[in-house]
Amino acid sequence: MQTDATVALLVGTRRGAFLLESDGRRGSWEIRGPAFAGWKVHHLTRDPRDGALYASVEQDLRGLSRLMCSEDMGRTWQELEGPRLPAGGAPRVWRIAAGHPARPGELWAGVEPAGLFRSADGGRSWEPVHGLNEHPSRASWVSGGGGLMLHSIIPHPEDPERLYAGISIAGVLRSDDGGATWALKNRGVPPWYEPGAQGGWEAGVCVHALALVAGAPDTLYQQNHLGVFRSEDGGETWQEAHEGMPTRFGFPIAAEPPRTLYVVPEGAEDMRFTPGGAFAIYRSRDGGRSWERLTRGLPGRHAYLNVLRGALATDGLSPGGVYAGTSTGQLFASRDEGESWELVAQFLPPIASVEAVVLSTAS
């Protein structure tokens, strides 16, 4: 166990942002917050290149959306200009992603209505990514239950020109030229609906979340409206990876090398809690070919919980930490790759996003 590590959990909730810190033992956590009290925090993330935090926040009462930045781990914040829609106004930002290490200052923002923006200066200015925002299939994109949003952005860890995006409801798109052009990558994933002829059926895919495996940059996983799927060729083709799951429906997915996955299935699309009212997280050690139910330390009865698409995370340590935040304000953590769980925070506002970052380790 890496006892000299410092681990931080970045937690975005419906009523503010919280930061939890622990050492590598991850036995106890100190909580700071909330920042932006009373504001929705759709996503809270850290740029690993310079340590800056970014938060997408929204105020219900006045319909304000803002992008915030902190250079001191959330102790102080400054407002950034943020993306702007062509007709004016700030879109809701669902996801913020740091660009490739070879491109310092590059950030990506996925917004609602579904679109992508790029910044080359650490979020101080933004430009729309026309190749995606004006994609030929756009006429067949459909709003899901949470809206029409670009919720997943994954820059390729080795190739600075390659980038993946996930849109509900359109599917997975990939760019191989730095975002200039985009192609749908949905082969092998069944459509959730049958769109009209204008966009072709291949745009009717309801991807809920994307994950890429460190060390295997062409291996992708998605939690879809219709199950878990795996691609081993950069999204060119997808195969079913949900055999043995109690249901196919769910939202989050997290991955650790070489082939470990975590998901939280739900009973049905209109139920929105784990099957039978018993909270459980599922783990696969073989890339989704088989699954095991993880329950030790989790509430087993009368626990009608769910985990939103951005609220499941891993920390990459050994043994690995896994973290799940619920829409009713519980934050569960495992220090042993899901074998056992602890409740590390409760009575938080509904949790929308969780990210785990290792701030320091032994040299």
Side-chain angles (χ1 to χ4, degrees):
M1 185 173 289
Q2 293 161 275
T3 57
D4 49 357
T6 299
V7 183
L9 302 182
L10 311 178
V11 182
T13 80
R14 189 176 177 85
R15 291 292 178 260
F18 297 82
L19 191 147
L20 288 76
E21 286 192 0
S22 181
D23 61 20
R25 290 182 291 267
R26 296 159 292 181
S28 62
W29 297 86
E30 295 185 3
I31 303 178
R32 287 197 281 120
F36 323 113
W39 288 59
K40 290 181 180 178
V41 180
H42 297 295
H43 190 209
L44 177 61
T45 191
R46 178 178 181 269
D47 187 337
R49 300 167 301 182
D50 60 12
L53 300 185
Y54 294 92
S56 166
V57 304
E58 179 184 5
Q59 188 182 55
D60 284 337
L61 185 61
R62 289 180 286 173
L64 298 176
S65 293
R66 292 178 176 173
L67 188 63
M68 309 295 292
C69 177
S70 173
E71 296 179 349
D72 56 9
M73 281 301 292
R75 291 172 177 83
T76 61
W77 294 86
Q78 61 176 313
E79 183 178 354
L80 303 178
E81 179 64 24
R84 287 294 182 268
L85 296 172
R92 177 180 293 146
V93 176
W94 280 98
R95 195 73 179 175
I96 307 160
H100 193 274
R103 294 177 174 171
E106 182 178 78
L107 294 174
W108 302 89
V111 308
E112 179 191 350
L116 185 64
F117 287 77
R118 178 184 177 272
S119 173
D121 54 11
R124 274 65 184 175
S125 64
W126 296 85
E127 58 186 19
V129 179
H130 295 292
L132 187 144
N133 300 347
E134 300 162 16
H135 195 270
S137 70
R138 188 176 185 99
S140 65
W141 300 359
V142 173
S143 177
L148 177 58
M149 68 187 79
L150 195 155
H151 52 66
S152 298
I153 308 167
I154 302 180
H156 194 282
E158 297 178 2
D159 183 355
E161 295 295 310
R162 178 168 284 193
L163 186 73
Y164 300 95
I167 296 175
S168 294
I169 300 171
V172 177
L173 294 97
R174 191 184 81 198
S175 174
D176 293 327
D177 52 15
T181 62
W182 294 79
L184 283 163
K185 299 296 179 182
N186 291 332
R187 186 181 302 171
V189 182
W192 179 64
Y193 77 103
E194 292 289 345
Q198 185 171 0
W201 74 264
E202 66 274 10
V205 170
C206 189
V207 55
H208 286 171
L210 281 177
L212 183 146
V213 178
D218 292 325
T219 300
L220 294 165
Y221 300 93
Q222 63 171 286
Q223 172 66 69
N224 187 282
H225 199 102
L226 301 177
V228 180
F229 293 84
R230 176 184 62 252
S231 173
E232 296 175 314
D233 54 12
E236 292 292 338
T237 59
W238 296 86
Q239 300 82 39
E240 293 185 358
H242 41 245
E243 183 68 30
M245 296 287 289
T247 68
R248 295 188 175 190
F249 188 82
F251 279 94
I253 188 166
E256 284 282 20
R259 293 180 296 278
T260 297
L261 303 176
Y262 300 92
V263 300
V264 186
E266 297 185 10
E269 62 182 278
D270 59 349
M271 191 175 297
R272 303 303 168 93
F273 56 79
T274 47
F279 188 57
I281 295 170
Y282 280 71
R283 180 182 66 195
S284 174
R285 297 286 202 184
D286 53 13
R289 292 169 177 84
S290 63
W291 293 88
E292 53 190 318
R293 186 170 182 263
L294 308 174
T295 61
R296 188 185 305 167
L298 297 175
R301 296 181 60 197
H302 306 301
Y304 301 95
L305 310 179
N306 78 327
V307 177
L308 301 179
R309 74 176 88 243
L312 183 66
T314 59
D315 62 21
L317 293 177
S318 180
V322 192
Y323 310 91
T326 73
S327 61
T328 44
Q330 297 86 20
L331 180 60
F332 295 96
S334 171
R335 294 179 274 172
D336 51 14
E337 300 175 355
E339 293 294 331
S340 61
W341 297 83
E342 300 168 292
L343 182 63
V344 298
Q346 59 182 325
F347 306 122
L348 296 179
I351 297 172
S353 75
V354 177
E355 291 200 3
V357 296
V358 179
L359 300 178
S360 61
T361 58
S363 56

